[in-house]
């Protein structure tokens, strides 16, 4: 199992870098070319959500992106440190809650296997895609 981990300050300009790295690592892990755009979009949405939660909550902590290549699946975890600001019950204004819900809806529409959790320290979005079996030739 190989893991690549990114940590970046919660600034919107770092989301593009996370998307590019995620797509490159997914390609190398064997994720089918036809779903790489979905990987890019899902990571972009998850990272944008994390950045937004940090900014709304005034949290300076890092956003963490883990890219995990396992035997038959490729996992991406996007973790924020927004604490209670990232929990659904603590959404301040209706527009922010709608934006958060829309981002999560986009992610669940793009990724078949997704899990969203949140706790006192922050939230975690865990997504996965199948990888091609290297022993099977096209």
């Amino acid at each position: 199992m190989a893991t690549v981990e990114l940590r970046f300050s919660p600034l919107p300009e770092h989301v593009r870098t996370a998307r590019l790295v995620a797509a490159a690592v997914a390609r190398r892990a064997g994720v089918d070319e036809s779903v790489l755009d979905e990987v890019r979009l899902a990571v972009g949405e998850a990272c944008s959500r994390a950045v937004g939660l940090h900014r709304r909550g005034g949290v300076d902590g890092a956003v963490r992106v883990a890219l995990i290549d396992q035997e038959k699946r490729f996992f991406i975890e996007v973790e924020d440190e927004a604490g209670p600001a990232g929990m659904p019950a603590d959404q301040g204004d209706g527009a922010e809650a709608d934006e958060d819900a829309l981002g999560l809806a986009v992610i669940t529409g793009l990724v078949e296997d997704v899990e969203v959790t949140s706790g006192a320290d922050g939230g975690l979005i865990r997504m996965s895609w199948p990888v091609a079996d290297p022993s099977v030739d096209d």
Side-chain angles (χ1 to χ4, degrees), residues 35-115:
V35 296
L36 288 179
D37 282 340
E38 295 170 7
V39 171
R40 261 190 292 275
L41 288 169
V43 169
E45 283 295 329
C47 288
S48 292
R49 178 181 180 272
V51 167
L53 291 172
H54 277 239
R55 295 182 77 150
R56 286 193 305 263
V59 177
D60 291 329
V63 174
R64 183 185 73 87
V65 181
L67 310 162
I68 306 160
D69 179 13
Q70 289 188 347
E71 201 170 309
K72 296 184 181 198
R73 303 238 12 123
F74 178 68
F75 293 90
I76 298 179
E77 297 177 349
V78 178
E79 185 175 17
D80 65 69
E81 296 179 358
M87 297 177 79
D90 264 10
Q91 295 293 338
D93 127 3
E96 290 172 352
D98 289 346
E99 183 180 316
D100 189 47
L102 179 61
L104 290 174
V106 168
I107 293 167
T108 57
L110 290 168
V111 184
E112 197 172 298
D113 182 24
V114 63
E115 179 184 344

Side-chain angles (χ1 to χ4, degrees), residues 112-138:
E112 197 172 298
D113 182 24
V114 63
E115 179 184 344
V116 180
T117 58
S118 59
D121 295 332
L124 175 73
I125 297 177
R126 183 177 170 109
M127 306 168 277
S128 77
W129 294 264
V131 295
D133 186 350
S135 64
V136 176
D137 291 330
D138 292 323

